[in-house]
Amino acid sequence: AMLIDVRESHEYRAGHAPGSKHISLGSLESKFHEIPKEREILVICQSGMRSSQAAAILARAGYQVKNVSGGMTNWQRAGLKVVR
């Protein structure tokens, strides 16, 4: 799967999941060419709201997509690695 972080640049720089690709929600549709349709796409933001919107946009465009529930907030609470 490919993990896409849809937060703003400053949020991504402050801490993101290892291996995630940064594409802000506002530029998502213009970056479809960077997202492979043959892979499952996971989207994440801070709490799950923006990534929910991103998941809906990607699903309408034909991607197999899942929203990471709870976003980076839950990621960090779970003790998962964060890159700064």
Side-chain angles (χ1 to χ4, degrees):
M2 178 182 204
L3 178 61
I4 299 176
D5 191 317
V6 296
R7 296 176 298 159
E8 296 299 318
S9 295
H10 69 279
E11 294 173 292
Y12 184 79
R13 285 191 305 270
H16 58 273
S20 62
K21 180 171 182 62
H22 178 241
I23 302 176
S24 66
L25 178 60
S27 64
L28 185 63
E29 291 180 85
S30 68
K31 304 275 183 153
F32 280 167
H33 65 280
E34 296 180 21
I35 306 169
K37 282 208 171 171
E38 64 276 0
R39 291 178 69 183
E40 180 180 31
I41 306 301
L42 306 174
V43 286
I44 193 167
C45 65
Q46 190 61 39
S47 65
M49 297 300 291
R50 286 175 283 182
S51 56
S52 177
Q53 292 174 313
I57 291 167
L58 289 164
R60 281 194 302 272
Y63 289 90
Q64 180 184 355
V65 62
K66 292 183 182 170
N67 180 24
V68 178
S69 180
M72 286 303 295
T73 299
N74 280 355
W75 185 279
Q76 291 174 341
R77 281 186 190 145
L80 298 172
K81 186 172 179 161
V82 175
V83 178
R84 298 190 197 295

